[in-house]
PDB file of all heavy atoms in Angstrom:
ATOM      1  N   ARG A   3       3.811   1.515  -1.109  1.00  0.00           N
ATOM      2  CA  ARG A   3       4.420   1.641  -2.429  1.00  0.00           C
ATOM      3  C   ARG A   3       3.441   2.265  -3.425  1.00  0.00           C
ATOM      4  O   ARG A   3       3.789   3.204  -4.146  1.00  0.00           O
ATOM      5  CB  ARG A   3       4.864   0.253  -2.918  1.00  0.00           C
ATOM      6  CG  ARG A   3       6.137  -0.230  -2.257  1.00  0.00           C
ATOM      7  CD  ARG A   3       6.362  -1.689  -2.559  1.00  0.00           C
ATOM      8  NE  ARG A   3       7.707  -2.127  -2.250  1.00  0.00           N
ATOM      9  CZ  ARG A   3       8.176  -2.398  -1.045  1.00  0.00           C
ATOM     10  NH1 ARG A   3       7.388  -2.255   0.010  1.00  0.00           N
ATOM     11  NH2 ARG A   3       9.411  -2.810  -0.872  1.00  0.00           N
ATOM     12  N   THR A 105      12.144  -7.744   6.853  1.00  0.00           N
ATOM     13  CA  THR A 105      13.495  -7.231   6.586  1.00  0.00           C
ATOM     14  C   THR A 105      13.645  -6.643   5.192  1.00  0.00           C
ATOM     15  O   THR A 105      14.449  -5.746   4.983  1.00  0.00           O
ATOM     16  CB  THR A 105      14.540  -8.349   6.763  1.00  0.00           C
ATOM     17  OG1 THR A 105      14.112  -9.477   5.995  1.00  0.00           O
ATOM     18  CG2 THR A 105      14.714  -8.735   8.206  1.00  0.00           C
ATOM     19  N   PHE A 165      34.357 -11.097  -7.915  1.00  0.00           N
ATOM     20  CA  PHE A 165      33.963 -11.967  -6.799  1.00  0.00           C
ATOM     21  C   PHE A 165      33.378 -13.284  -7.326  1.00  0.00           C
ATOM     22  O   PHE A 165      33.632 -14.349  -6.770  1.00  0.00           O
ATOM     23  CB  PHE A 165      32.964 -11.245  -5.888  1.00  0.00           C
ATOM     24  CG  PHE A 165      33.617 -10.167  -5.067  1.00  0.00           C
ATOM     25  CD1 PHE A 165      33.808  -8.902  -5.583  1.00  0.00           C
ATOM     26  CD2 PHE A 165      34.087 -10.433  -3.792  1.00  0.00           C
ATOM     27  CE1 PHE A 165      34.446  -7.906  -4.850  1.00  0.00           C
ATOM     28  CE2 PHE A 165      34.722  -9.458  -3.043  1.00  0.00           C
ATOM     29  CZ  PHE A 165      34.897  -8.191  -3.576  1.00  0.00           C
ATOM     30  N   VAL A 248      41.032 -16.017   1.085  1.00  0.00           N
ATOM     31  CA  VAL A 248      40.284 -17.175   1.600  1.00  0.00           C
ATOM     32  C   VAL A 248      40.436 -18.271   0.552  1.00  0.00           C
ATOM     33  O   VAL A 248      39.936 -18.138  -0.563  1.00  0.00           O
ATOM     34  CB  VAL A 248      38.789 -16.843   1.790  1.00  0.00           C
ATOM     35  CG1 VAL A 248      38.047 -18.031   2.358  1.00  0.00           C
ATOM     36  CG2 VAL A 248      38.634 -15.642   2.701  1.00  0.00           C
ATOM     37  N   TRP A 280      22.009  -1.701  -3.228  1.00  0.00           N
ATOM     38  CA  TRP A 280      22.981  -2.767  -3.496  1.00  0.00           C
ATOM     39  C   TRP A 280      23.267  -3.581  -2.238  1.00  0.00           C
ATOM     40  O   TRP A 280      23.602  -4.758  -2.323  1.00  0.00           O
ATOM     41  CB  TRP A 280      24.313  -2.206  -3.967  1.00  0.00           C
ATOM     42  CG  TRP A 280      24.282  -1.298  -5.134  1.00  0.00           C
ATOM     43  CD1 TRP A 280      23.199  -0.866  -5.844  1.00  0.00           C
ATOM     44  CD2 TRP A 280      25.413  -0.679  -5.736  1.00  0.00           C
ATOM     45  NE1 TRP A 280      23.575  -0.023  -6.835  1.00  0.00           N
ATOM     46  CE2 TRP A 280      24.935   0.118  -6.801  1.00  0.00           C
ATOM     47  CE3 TRP A 280      26.777  -0.701  -5.486  1.00  0.00           C
ATOM     48  CZ2 TRP A 280      25.779   0.870  -7.598  1.00  0.00           C
ATOM     49  CZ3 TRP A 280      27.615   0.036  -6.280  1.00  0.00           C
ATOM     50  CH2 TRP A 280      27.121   0.811  -7.337  1.00  0.00           C
ATOM     51  N   GLU A 362      30.488 -12.720  12.217  1.00  0.00           N
ATOM     52  CA  GLU A 362      29.452 -13.734  12.420  1.00  0.00           C
ATOM     53  C   GLU A 362      29.282 -14.662  11.218  1.00  0.00           C
ATOM     54  O   GLU A 362      28.983 -15.838  11.377  1.00  0.00           O
ATOM     55  CB  GLU A 362      28.108 -13.065  12.726  1.00  0.00           C
ATOM     56  CG  GLU A 362      28.124 -12.407  14.077  1.00  0.00           C
ATOM     57  CD  GLU A 362      26.832 -11.678  14.366  1.00  0.00           C
ATOM     58  OE1 GLU A 362      25.795 -12.025  13.808  1.00  0.00           O
ATOM     59  OE2 GLU A 362      26.883 -10.725  15.167  1.00  0.00           O
ATOM     60  N   GLY A 451      54.332 -27.537   0.446  1.00  0.00           N
ATOM     61  CA  GLY A 451      54.475 -28.725  -0.390  1.00  0.00           C
ATOM     62  C   GLY A 451      55.649 -29.580   0.083  1.00  0.00           C
ATOM     63  O   GLY A 451      56.492 -29.115   0.848  1.00  0.00           O
ATOM     64  N   GLN A 453      58.464 -33.120  -1.038  1.00  0.00           N
ATOM     65  CA  GLN A 453      58.996 -34.032  -2.047  1.00  0.00           C
ATOM     66  C   GLN A 453      58.857 -35.432  -1.468  1.00  0.00           C
ATOM     67  O   GLN A 453      59.309 -35.680  -0.342  1.00  0.00           O
ATOM     68  CB  GLN A 453      60.477 -33.728  -2.300  1.00  0.00           C
ATOM     69  CG  GLN A 453      60.724 -32.485  -3.139  1.00  0.00           C
ATOM     70  CD  GLN A 453      60.295 -32.667  -4.588  1.00  0.00           C
ATOM     71  OE1 GLN A 453      60.607 -33.677  -5.209  1.00  0.00           O
ATOM     72  NE2 GLN A 453      59.548 -31.696  -5.110  1.00  0.00           N
ATOM     73  N   PHE A 468      58.972 -37.045  -6.163  1.00  0.00           N
ATOM     74  CA  PHE A 468      58.021 -36.162  -6.886  1.00  0.00           C
ATOM     75  C   PHE A 468      57.369 -35.229  -5.862  1.00  0.00           C
ATOM     76  O   PHE A 468      57.428 -35.477  -4.649  1.00  0.00           O
ATOM     77  CB  PHE A 468      56.959 -36.985  -7.636  1.00  0.00           C
ATOM     78  CG  PHE A 468      56.173 -37.903  -6.742  1.00  0.00           C
ATOM     79  CD1 PHE A 468      54.978 -37.481  -6.162  1.00  0.00           C
ATOM     80  CD2 PHE A 468      56.633 -39.192  -6.455  1.00  0.00           C
ATOM     81  CE1 PHE A 468      54.269 -38.324  -5.322  1.00  0.00           C
ATOM     82  CE2 PHE A 468      55.922 -40.035  -5.620  1.00  0.00           C
ATOM     83  CZ  PHE A 468      54.736 -39.595  -5.048  1.00  0.00           C
ATOM     84  N   ASP A 502      38.851 -57.423  12.348  1.00  0.00           N
ATOM     85  CA  ASP A 502      38.878 -58.778  12.921  1.00  0.00           C
ATOM     86  C   ASP A 502      40.122 -59.505  12.381  1.00  0.00           C
ATOM     87  O   ASP A 502      40.410 -59.459  11.176  1.00  0.00           O
ATOM     88  CB  ASP A 502      37.588 -59.497  12.471  1.00  0.00           C
ATOM     89  CG  ASP A 502      37.616 -60.971  12.804  1.00  0.00           C
ATOM     90  OD1 ASP A 502      37.268 -61.305  13.942  1.00  0.00           O
ATOM     91  OD2 ASP A 502      37.995 -61.767  11.918  1.00  0.00           O
ATOM     92  N   ALA A 537      51.550 -56.512  17.962  1.00  0.00           N
ATOM     93  CA  ALA A 537      51.084 -56.267  19.332  1.00  0.00           C
ATOM     94  C   ALA A 537      51.863 -55.133  19.980  1.00  0.00           C
ATOM     95  O   ALA A 537      51.311 -54.333  20.748  1.00  0.00           O
ATOM     96  CB  ALA A 537      51.204 -57.537  20.153  1.00  0.00           C
ATOM     97  N   ALA A 544      45.650 -47.710  18.762  1.00  0.00           N
ATOM     98  CA  ALA A 544      44.181 -47.569  18.853  1.00  0.00           C
ATOM     99  C   ALA A 544      43.790 -46.660  20.015  1.00  0.00           C
ATOM    100  O   ALA A 544      42.784 -45.947  19.954  1.00  0.00           O
ATOM    101  CB  ALA A 544      43.549 -48.942  19.019  1.00  0.00           C
ATOM    102  N   HIS A 567      31.754 -68.384  -0.734  1.00  0.00           N
ATOM    103  CA  HIS A 567      30.477 -67.757  -0.390  1.00  0.00           C
ATOM    104  C   HIS A 567      30.666 -66.252  -0.228  1.00  0.00           C
ATOM    105  O   HIS A 567      31.751 -65.803   0.141  1.00  0.00           O
ATOM    106  CB  HIS A 567      29.937 -68.348   0.928  1.00  0.00           C
ATOM    107  CG  HIS A 567      29.406 -69.721   0.743  1.00  0.00           C
ATOM    108  ND1 HIS A 567      30.197 -70.836   0.894  1.00  0.00           N
ATOM    109  CD2 HIS A 567      28.166 -70.153   0.398  1.00  0.00           C
ATOM    110  CE1 HIS A 567      29.467 -71.914   0.655  1.00  0.00           C
ATOM    111  NE2 HIS A 567      28.232 -71.533   0.347  1.00  0.00           N
ATOM    112  N   LEU A 633      27.957 -30.014   4.855  1.00  0.00           N
ATOM    113  CA  LEU A 633      29.222 -30.595   4.391  1.00  0.00           C
ATOM    114  C   LEU A 633      29.216 -30.845   2.883  1.00  0.00           C
ATOM    115  O   LEU A 633      30.268 -30.989   2.270  1.00  0.00           O
ATOM    116  CB  LEU A 633      29.460 -31.924   5.124  1.00  0.00           C
ATOM    117  CG  LEU A 633      30.901 -32.311   5.341  1.00  0.00           C
ATOM    118  CD1 LEU A 633      31.584 -31.309   6.239  1.00  0.00           C
ATOM    119  CD2 LEU A 633      30.991 -33.690   5.950  1.00  0.00           C
ATOM    120  N   LEU A 656      32.508 -38.776   7.813  1.00  0.00           N
ATOM    121  CA  LEU A 656      32.063 -37.430   7.425  1.00  0.00           C
ATOM    122  C   LEU A 656      31.362 -36.724   8.580  1.00  0.00           C
ATOM    123  O   LEU A 656      31.545 -35.525   8.789  1.00  0.00           O
ATOM    124  CB  LEU A 656      31.120 -37.495   6.220  1.00  0.00           C
ATOM    125  CG  LEU A 656      31.779 -37.645   4.853  1.00  0.00           C
ATOM    126  CD1 LEU A 656      30.740 -37.566   3.763  1.00  0.00           C
ATOM    127  CD2 LEU A 656      32.849 -36.589   4.616  1.00  0.00           C
TER     128      LEU A 656
END
Side-chain angles (χ1 to χ4, degrees):
R3 283 168 165 78
T105 51
F165 287 85
V248 182
W280 306 1
E362 291 177 25
Q453 284 290 313
F468 57 92
D502 170 84
H567 286 90
L633 210 64
L656 280 185

